[in-house]
Amino acid sequence: MSCAANYMYEKANIKGVGYKNVETIIQTQPGLNGNKLVEKESGSGNVITERTEIEAERDPYGPWCCGTECGSPWGSSPSDPCIIEGYNDGCCCVDYINFNKEAEFEYMPVSYQTGTYDQKWIEKLCVQNYYIGAVVVEMYTHAEHLQKNTEVKTRRDCSGWNSTNCGANGCFGCGNCTGALEANFNSNVIGVAHIGWLSKDVMVNCKGRHYEWGRSVEDLTGVFSIEKFIQLWGNGTCGEVQVDWLPCI
């Protein structure tokens, strides 16, 4: 229980008619480090179903892969960030966010004694993994009807250190850790949809910029059925591709 603040879990099941506004912000490390998730949902009408499950755990020792047990290039030298921060060697802990959401909304204006609410549905999700320089965005706006099933997993892998060709020509580098960001989107929408991902190098080049290795942006307006799987891995083995055979229902 002494580390309870490092573990976060939420599970919700909501149905009803009215106006709904939700904001969720989770980060595993301060600043431009670790894993981060931001979700915004709002609109008026019929919430036919909404099941949400969020699980996150942060490494209290910081965003580094510390110690020789985790493959750190510093080992126990005085330059080891864990030594500098006053932590013991071999302090690599889990650092991840898991997000699952199944929802169906229908837009209509509603009126109560507190006022009239008339807003089409907005659903925005952004997940960032600073360990591997990856980001995924799923966004729906002006939605008259939205049915979606979203699963996103982002994590750090402490065993993936690879120092090959690091610092070649002063233009390339390697981060302390690697990891993975995986997303599975399945939705039906009447409105506007925006789905994209971006992959950048963790370290800056000789000009002080982050190399961009990949980008995908898709904008849809109208009536669409969307199925998309995104997998962004770091320079390490994050495990085999697996299909969840026991999903949430």
Side-chain angles (χ1 to χ4, degrees):
M1 295 300 294
S2 61
C3 295
N6 298 318
Y7 178 80
M8 296 161 278
Y9 180 81
E10 178 182 287
K11 187 174 184 179
N13 190 344
I14 299 174
K15 297 180 181 179
V17 178
Y19 173 76
K20 192 170 185 293
N21 182 47
V22 178
E23 291 184 3
T24 303
I25 300 175
I26 298 176
Q27 63 176 359
T28 61
Q29 299 296 333
L32 304 180
N33 296 290
N35 296 291
K36 302 185 187 299
L37 179 147
V38 179
E39 187 202 17
K40 167 70 174 179
E41 171 197 308
S42 65
S44 64
N46 188 8
V47 181
I48 299 173
T49 183
E50 182 182 346
R51 299 184 182 95
T52 304
E53 187 172 8
I54 304 173
E55 182 184 27
E57 188 169 356
R58 60 177 298 272
D59 185 351
Y61 298 109
W64 309 285
C65 280
C66 307
T68 55
E69 296 179 5
C70 301
S72 168
W74 299 288
S76 300
S77 67
S79 61
D80 189 332
C82 297
I83 302 299
I84 296 174
E85 295 293 331
Y87 301 122
N88 294 326
D89 193 25
C91 58
C92 184
C93 300
V94 294
D95 195 295
Y96 67 88
I97 300 176
N98 294 330
F99 176 85
N100 290 274
K101 184 169 186 177
E102 180 183 356
E104 184 174 2
F105 306 115
E106 284 185 349
Y107 157 75
M108 66 178 179
V110 294
S111 180
Y112 298 102
Q113 292 181 347
T114 56
T116 300
Y117 302 90
D118 186 358
Q119 179 190 317
K120 294 185 178 180
W121 287 97
I122 296 174
E123 175 79 27
K124 299 179 180 180
L125 175 67
C126 178
V127 182
Q128 298 165 297
N129 187 323
Y130 282 92
Y131 294 113
I132 60 173
V135 60
V136 169
V137 175
E138 181 192 28
M139 181 169 61
Y140 305 95
T141 60
H142 307 88
E144 298 180 6
H145 180 267
L146 174 61
Q147 181 181 10
K148 58 168 285 183
N149 194 333
T150 297
E151 180 181 8
V152 180
K153 298 179 180 180
T154 179
R155 63 185 182 272
R156 177 182 67 179
D157 180 13
C158 292
S159 62
W161 171 265
N162 183 1
S163 59
T164 306
N165 296 326
C166 289
N169 301 321
C171 289
F172 294 92
C174 297
N176 330 9
C177 313
T178 183
L181 195 163
E182 300 171 341
N184 194 2
F185 303 133
N186 190 340
S187 63
N188 294 286
V189 58
I190 302 176
V192 179
H194 172 89
I195 297 177
W197 59 264
L198 176 67
S199 177
K200 284 193 171 185
D201 201 303
V202 178
M203 304 299 290
V204 296
N205 59 22
C206 51
K207 296 183 179 179
R209 302 185 183 124
H210 295 267
Y211 284 117
E212 183 177 308
W213 302 123
R215 174 196 295 257
S216 174
V217 180
E218 186 170 12
D219 291 288
L220 305 168
T221 302
V223 182
F224 288 94
S225 177
I226 303 170
E227 292 185 13
K228 182 167 287 194
F229 177 67
I230 300 170
Q231 192 171 56
L232 305 173
W233 282 3
N235 293 329
T237 302
C238 297
E240 299 179 355
V241 179
Q242 297 180 344
V243 177
D244 190 353
W245 59 273
L246 192 64
C248 297
I249 59 173

